[in-house]
Amino acid sequence: EDQVTQSPEALRLQEGESSSLNCSYTVSGLRGLFWYRQDPGKGPEFLFTLYSAGEEKEKERLKATLTKKESFLHITAPKPEDSATYLCAAMEYGNKLVFGAGTILRVKS
Amino acid sequence: DAMVIQNPRYQVTQFGKPVTLSCSQTLNHNVMYWYQQKSSQAPKLLFHYYDKDFNNEADTPDNFQSRRPNTSFCFLDIRSPGLGDAAMYLCATSELAYNEQFFGPGTRLTVL
């Protein structure tokens, strides 16, 4: 069964304290790995797509990487405005997105 | 700005009273999706349209129906809402089925 697991469930950081979020996936024929940011009461906001192992993408303080079994979202020197739930989703061969439950990130100043 | 719009943002209905949620897009994307998201859970795909072709997920209850009258609009009908249907309903679009999906702000449904 296709499955996406994110860890940790919640993460509290001090402003400037870098860390990483993990996304482990088991899908039949990965077509892409997607990262989204979701603020409370809002829809997910697209961040990155990764297609093959070894691929990396960056946007401001965020950097996403992909291996054959997992993806990491690295957050460098986070700010309070980076606080949100980060969702990972794997697209399987049939083009269906399988979402993880998300990591709730809180950055304190 | 091109976007995905959902109306209403908040909907309150009574147990068993039909409700319709709407989604429109200015992106001119071929694919439109409806997801259900309960508190602290992952979004769950209910169904999607590739152009006019309707695709229902196997575990989507019969209580949920959808219509896509044209490229820009898609509707989610809940025929007899139960307490368990209270959730955030998210509409998303993508240009092609394997592209990134862009989400609307969601409709928060409360069932009394």
Side-chain angles (χ1 to χ4, degrees):
Chain A
E1 182 184 344
D2 295 334
Q3 195 168 350
V4 174
T5 304
Q6 293 188 244
S7 62
E9 289 184 12
L11 181 62
R12 291 175 182 265
L13 299 174
Q14 286 295 125
E15 184 172 3
E17 180 187 3
S18 301
S19 189
S20 295
L21 313 183
N22 176 264
C23 170
S24 298
Y25 63 90
T26 307
V27 298
S28 51
L30 182 75
R31 297 207 67 170
L33 192 292
F34 299 79
W35 282 97
Y36 288 86
R37 169 190 171 129
Q38 187 172 25
D39 291 300
K42 297 187 177 181
E45 175 190 347
F46 171 71
L47 294 173
F48 304 109
T49 310
L50 302 166
Y51 292 105
S52 57
E55 189 175 359
E56 299 182 352
K57 288 194 176 170
E58 288 188 66
K59 179 180 179 181
E60 296 180 352
R61 295 176 292 282
L62 302 177
K63 178 180 172 180
T65 62
L66 181 65
T67 73
K68 288 186 177 179
K69 292 186 177 181
E70 53 192 352
S71 178
F72 294 92
L73 185 64
H74 308 278
I75 303 176
T76 302
K79 298 181 177 182
E81 53 261 42
D82 295 322
S83 297
T85 296
Y86 290 86
L87 294 168
C88 164
M91 182 171 283
E92 46 86 73
Y93 185 76
N95 296 327
K96 178 180 175 181
L97 266 187
V98 180
F99 278 90
T103 293
I104 302 171
L105 174 66
R106 292 289 176 260
V107 182
K108 294 185 114 178
S109 58
Chain B
D1 281 345
M3 55 176 43
V4 181
I5 302 160
Q6 291 189 244
N7 285 302
R9 293 293 314 279
Y10 302 91
Q11 176 73 58
V12 180
T13 191
Q14 291 181 336
F15 183 94
K17 186 174 181 181
V19 67
T20 295
L21 311 181
S22 75
C23 176
S24 63
Q25 55 133 341
T26 62
L27 297 161
N28 203 32
H29 282 173
N30 292 304
V31 195
M32 295 187 77
Y33 308 81
W34 280 104
Y35 287 86
Q36 179 193 66
Q37 187 179 28
K38 296 187 176 181
S39 182
S40 302
Q41 295 185 19
K44 176 180 178 297
L45 182 65
L46 296 173
F47 22 60
H48 74 276
Y49 278 92
Y50 194 111
D51 197 11
K52 295 181 180 179
D53 292 333
F54 177 71
N55 297 272
N56 196 30
E57 291 300 299
D59 57 354
T60 298
D62 293 340
N63 199 24
F64 290 83
Q65 305 284 321
S66 185
R67 297 169 282 135
R68 188 180 185 185
N70 54 53
T71 302
S72 301
F73 284 86
C74 196
F75 299 95
L76 170 61
D77 301 307
I78 308 177
R79 292 190 294 186
S80 182
L83 298 178
D85 296 327
M88 174 77 89
Y89 289 88
L90 297 165
C91 174
T93 73
S94 65
E95 185 171 4
L96 297 172
Y98 52 84
N99 292 144
E100 58 271 16
Q101 296 177 18
F102 295 92
F103 285 81
T107 295
R108 171 74 64 186
L109 177 67
T110 300
V111 182
L112 301 177

